[in-house]
Amino acid sequence: MRVSEFRQAVLDEFGSGFGRVVTSDLVLTEFGGRTADQAIGAGEDAREVWIALCRAADVPTSRWHGAGLPLPRS
């Protein structure tokens, strides 16, 4: 997952306003108490940060995979 795909996944799941709050304020224990923004900024894998964010925010597992990817063309 690229960082741009991570950002799109956050937008799709949480919306623009709440997405910014979640990535900047929600502490991810899996990343040593850093927020998603801090973990991404430190070079952590975007997919791993996304999964940790999903766990921390109680996102249903059915929405963890494929998030942030463009929809297939018809």
Side-chain angles (χ1 to χ4, degrees), residues 45-69:
D45 181 73
R47 171 55 94 190
E48 295 303 314
V49 175
W50 169 247
I51 297 298
L53 185 63
C54 287
R55 281 189 192 106
D58 293 324
V59 174
T61 56
S62 63
R63 297 200 305 253
W64 290 10
H65 301 287
L69 297 176

Side-chain angles (χ1 to χ4, degrees), residues 15 21 38-39 49:
V21 170
Q38 291 169 332
V49 175

Side-chain angles (χ1 to χ4, degrees), residues 17-44:
F18 189 58
R20 283 191 297 273
V21 170
V22 168
T23 60
S24 66
D25 291 351
L26 184 61
V27 172
L28 304 175
T29 56
E30 295 172 52
F31 288 95
R34 292 180 286 175
T35 66
D37 286 341
Q38 291 169 332
I40 292 287
E44 298 288 352

